[in-house]
Amino acid sequence: MKYQSIKAFLISIFFNVILISISFAQDNLTSLIIQDRIDQILTTGQLDIGYANVASKQILPKLYERNHFQLIWKNPQNINDLLNELGNIEEDGLNPEDYHLSTLLVQKLHLEQSDSPEPSLMADYDILLTDSLIRLAYHLHFGKVEPESLHPDWNMTRKINDTDPVVNIEKTLRSAKLADTLKKSRPQLKSYSLMRAALKKYREIQEAGGWEAVPEGPTLKVGMTDERIPKLRKRLAVTGHFEGTNTKSDHFDEELEKAVVGFQKSHHLVADGAVGKNTYKTLNGPVKRKIDQIRVNLERFRWISRNIPEEFIVVDIAGFRAYHYRNYNIKWTSKVQVGKAFRKTPVFNSQIKYLVFNPTWTVPPTILREDIIPKIKKNPEYLQKKKISVIDRKGRIVDPSLVDWSKYSRKNVPHTFRQEPGPHNALGRIKFIFPNKHFIYLHDTPSRSLYARKDRAFSSGCIRVEKDIELAEILLNDPEKWNQQNIQNLMDTLETKRVNLPKPMPISLLYWTVRFDEKGKIIFKKDVYDRDGAVLDGLNEEFVSWQRRFLD
């Protein structure tokens, strides 16, 4: 018996040694294959695994070099967390196939079905998991679409506190907390969560068949009876604007009017409670358009959500509003007027550094050529009416009545045109200066009646602020010296005065076509500059080579 026991023990040891040797040899071969794959990336800049292309050309090789070309996805929980994230990434408006999901699932199935997986399959699976994670983390942090390609003057940061991404990935995979890390990679702003929820809602509406169009016709309003009204009720019920139970009534009552007003407010329409041309058009737009609009604005959130200052001013160009934020909360807001469609207000960051009270206005060359000269030729008294002085090249004021304006085309005027301070001035009573190459700034305006309009794209590119005195008070931040009354007193003197801010205020000019009100309800806005389409195209296109450089 003892002999048999010893024999069995020795046989067991022998087979264990063989298994260990095989495992060691397999691990060593897998490591060699990984090293070969990394060498291919470094020498050719290209690595395809099946139909998947590895995008990361620096971070991924460094990661495997630091780990001696060993498998780094050794914890099954990390793999499950990543695949779960990819399976749900459409909730962020992104495409799971950008992150190799189909290829990874096929590879995972082959590995699970094999008692002794091929080292090449193990190596490829590990590398694709890593490339997927790098892509996904970057896109959640900064977006898939390159904003610089759409906004040439984009100057917002795309760095994460100067941390080493290779070290971060190593720590994450060792900690087995990948799901938490990816959750934190998303913008932590409340609006981002609200937008993800809205995307889910409208996709559920789409899956249920969308909504039936309301037949167009004469304007529908309270007190009317019409066969189209039941369809109007059902349409509004689909999106939650009509909360009543009677969707069959053909009478336009006050409950329905309230629902129409709510719908109009949520689509940046005139909220008069009547269903006219613009409301019909918006009601009958396809649900896919709403889904696309939300996806585009989720992407815009990813562009700008890093390193947000504690306090700043933001101009929502498409929403025609300015906001003062402190600690992520809105402390002040005002209507604004922005650039016309052919003089679009650009998107960029800067800092407000000083204010000018009772400013003069030197007419910019573009406005001079395209606006002022044609008006002078039509009306010789135009300059006098607008209190614009004509100044020659020696700095002398010229009597405009002595100038033969017919001699001058729009390009050869040898004069400077300066509008003097006062309520008539195109800049109004205050301008807010944040240095930038576009010569864009915030300012008051004499055209205050235009603030009553719903769409307010009227300026030549600069931003007109309705509550200019309130904004000056916020920026100067000295209630005793610079309260609203003292500011008004200074403006009444008509004296031009520059006042530096005690501390520069960050300002962001941004473009959003979706926002949320104070109750968390979604508001769809008009794409006044037709910018959504380019972002959507970038989201929908296959992950392409120009995007790869941003992963490293």
Side-chain angles (χ1 to χ4, degrees):
M1 289 292 293
K2 288 183 178 181
Y3 171 77
Q4 291 177 342
S5 298
I6 292 171
K7 182 179 179 181
F9 176 71
L10 291 174
I11 291 173
S12 174
I13 291 175
F14 175 75
F15 278 109
N16 283 334
V17 169
I18 291 175
L19 290 173
I20 291 171
S21 299
I22 292 172
S23 177
F24 178 79
Q26 189 178 47
D27 289 346
N28 191 48
L29 182 55
T30 303
S31 178
L32 290 172
I33 293 171
I34 290 175
Q35 185 171 359
D36 181 66
R37 302 282 196 262
I38 299 306
D39 287 343
Q40 184 178 337
I41 293 174
L42 295 175
T43 55
T44 69
Q46 184 76 12
L47 177 62
D48 293 323
I49 297 175
Y51 293 105
N53 179 267
V54 174
S56 179
K57 303 300 190 288
Q58 294 183 36
I59 294 176
L60 186 142
K62 287 179 182 178
L63 188 60
Y64 282 102
E65 286 172 354
R66 283 171 59 97
N67 286 272
H68 308 291
F69 306 103
Q70 299 296 313
L71 297 172
I72 60 177
W73 290 83
K74 296 178 180 180
N75 189 317
Q77 186 59 51
N78 284 333
I79 297 174
N80 289 336
D81 286 346
L82 178 60
L83 294 177
N84 285 337
E85 284 288 341
L86 299 184
N88 296 314
I89 200 61
E90 287 184 327
E91 295 178 7
D92 292 88
L94 296 169
N95 180 2
E97 291 310 310
D98 282 336
Y99 315 101
H100 316 308
L101 179 58
S102 294
T103 302
L104 287 170
L105 291 176
V106 170
Q107 289 179 328
K108 182 174 185 287
L109 182 62
H110 287 322
L111 286 168
E112 290 174 344
Q113 291 177 342
S114 175
D115 294 330
S116 180
E118 290 289 331
S120 60
L121 178 57
M122 295 173 64
D124 289 345
Y125 186 53
D126 205 84
I127 290 171
L128 275 191
L129 286 169
T130 304
D131 191 60
S132 173
L133 175 61
I134 294 170
R135 286 192 193 190
L136 179 62
Y138 187 89
H139 288 176
L140 289 177
H141 270 95
F142 300 118
K144 173 187 174 182
V145 182
E146 179 192 0
E148 293 89 342
S149 69
L150 308 179
H151 304 285
D153 303 303
W154 187 269
N155 64 348
M156 301 180 196
T157 182
R158 294 167 79 84
K159 294 183 179 180
I160 312 173
N161 301 322
D162 297 322
T163 57
D164 186 341
V166 175
V167 174
N168 286 343
I169 292 171
E170 285 182 323
K171 288 181 179 179
T172 299
L173 294 179
R174 282 199 299 268
S175 68
K177 294 183 178 179
L178 183 58
D180 290 340
T181 299
L182 290 174
K183 183 178 181 180
K184 292 175 182 176
S185 296
R186 291 179 170 85
Q188 299 301 298
L189 303 172
K190 181 181 178 182
S191 292
Y192 190 81
S193 297
L194 290 172
M195 209 168 290
R196 289 181 82 226
L199 180 60
K200 181 180 179 181
K201 171 186 172 180
Y202 279 89
R203 277 187 166 148
E204 288 173 349
I205 291 173
Q206 184 183 48
E207 290 170 4
W211 47 67
E212 186 180 354
V214 179
E216 294 192 31
T219 298
L220 294 173
K221 50 189 174 182
V222 69
M224 293 178 63
T225 299
D226 192 290
E227 62 182 7
R228 295 171 292 160
I229 290 176
K231 290 187 177 181
L232 173 63
R233 290 175 179 270
K234 290 177 182 178
R235 165 63 185 88
L236 293 172
V238 170
T239 48
H241 293 94
F242 179 71
E243 299 177 350
T245 57
N246 186 3
T247 58
K248 296 181 180 181
S249 172
D250 61 357
H251 180 63
F252 200 124
D253 55 18
E254 291 183 357
E255 183 183 37
L256 181 57
E257 182 186 38
K258 181 180 177 182
V260 171
V261 168
F263 178 84
Q264 291 169 329
K265 287 181 178 179
S266 70
H267 289 79
H268 223 253
L269 299 169
V270 175
D272 57 5
V275 183
K277 181 179 179 181
N278 289 335
T279 304
Y280 274 122
K281 182 179 178 181
T282 307
L283 281 165
N284 293 335
V287 64
K288 185 180 182 299
R289 187 178 300 163
K290 296 286 188 288
I291 292 170
D292 289 343
Q293 196 169 349
I294 296 170
R295 290 181 62 213
V296 164
N297 285 275
L298 279 165
E299 179 73 354
R300 288 187 174 125
F301 263 111
R302 291 188 286 265
W303 289 350
I304 59 94
S305 65
R306 305 296 156 188
N307 304 315
I308 295 177
E310 292 183 0
E311 185 177 17
F312 66 105
I313 302 296
V314 62
V315 175
D316 176 7
I317 297 170
F320 312 111
R321 294 200 75 87
Y323 300 89
H324 171 221
Y325 278 86
R326 187 187 298 128
N327 297 325
Y328 301 105
N329 294 312
I330 296 173
K331 298 298 181 180
W332 168 90
T333 184
S334 171
K335 293 179 180 178
V336 300
Q337 301 173 34
V338 300
K340 302 171 185 177
F342 57 90
R343 291 180 183 172
K344 298 179 178 67
T345 300
V347 173
F348 63 94
N349 273 351
S350 188
Q351 290 186 322
I352 303 176
K353 293 190 174 181
Y354 64 92
L355 280 57
V356 178
F357 293 97
N358 296 313
T360 59
W361 179 51
T362 300
V363 181
T366 301
I367 297 177
L368 179 62
R369 291 193 306 268
E370 298 181 6
D371 297 337
I372 303 298
I373 295 300
K375 289 178 180 178
I376 294 173
K377 291 181 176 181
K378 287 182 179 180
N379 180 10
E381 296 181 356
Y382 174 82
L383 293 174
Q384 182 179 359
K385 179 181 178 182
K386 294 295 183 179
K387 298 186 179 180
I388 296 176
S389 300
V390 181
I391 303 170
D392 67 15
R393 289 172 177 171
K394 294 183 178 181
R396 299 172 300 192
I397 294 178
V398 176
D399 184 347
S401 65
L402 301 179
V403 178
D404 183 1
W405 295 106
S406 64
K407 291 182 179 180
Y408 301 115
S409 69
R410 297 182 178 188
K411 295 183 179 180
N412 67 347
V413 181
H415 301 96
T416 298
F417 292 69
R418 184 185 68 205
Q419 191 174 40
E420 303 306 323
H424 56 277
N425 189 282
L427 305 184
R429 302 164 297 176
I430 315 174
K431 67 177 179 178
F432 307 81
I433 303 300
F434 41 99
N436 62 86
K437 66 181 181 180
H438 313 283
F439 302 103
I440 296 294
Y441 44 84
L442 274 65
H443 63 89
D444 178 28
T445 178
S447 304
R448 302 191 71 82
S449 62
L450 297 177
Y451 289 118
R453 305 277 187 90
K454 202 68 180 177
D455 294 336
R456 296 186 289 275
F458 301 118
S459 81
S460 297
C462 288
I463 300 138
R464 304 167 180 172
V465 185
E466 182 180 36
K467 300 178 183 177
D468 56 310
I469 297 177
E470 291 182 13
L471 179 57
E473 184 180 31
I474 290 167
L475 296 173
L476 293 171
N477 195 27
D478 186 345
E480 185 174 339
K481 182 178 180 181
W482 293 110
N483 55 54
Q484 293 188 39
Q485 185 58 57
N486 288 346
I487 291 172
Q488 184 65 57
N489 292 340
L490 173 58
M491 292 190 301
D492 289 344
T493 68
L494 298 185
E495 175 190 353
T496 301
K497 184 178 179 64
R498 168 176 167 161
V499 180
N500 294 327
L501 298 191
K503 180 182 177 182
M505 176 70 77
I507 181 169
S508 296
L509 309 188
L510 300 174
Y511 188 88
W512 305 95
T513 55
V514 171
R515 74 174 181 88
F516 294 87
D517 66 16
E518 61 279 359
K519 296 180 180 179
K521 294 183 178 180
I522 194 167
I523 297 175
F524 296 95
K525 296 176 286 184
K526 183 180 178 181
D527 183 12
V528 290
Y529 293 163
D530 293 324
R531 288 176 171 169
D532 280 5
V535 182
L536 183 64
D537 289 343
L539 285 171
N540 288 339
E541 72 181 4
E542 184 180 355
F543 188 78
V544 292
S545 58
W546 63 260
Q547 296 166 316
R548 294 172 189 148
R549 69 182 184 272
F550 292 102
L551 296 181
D552 294 322

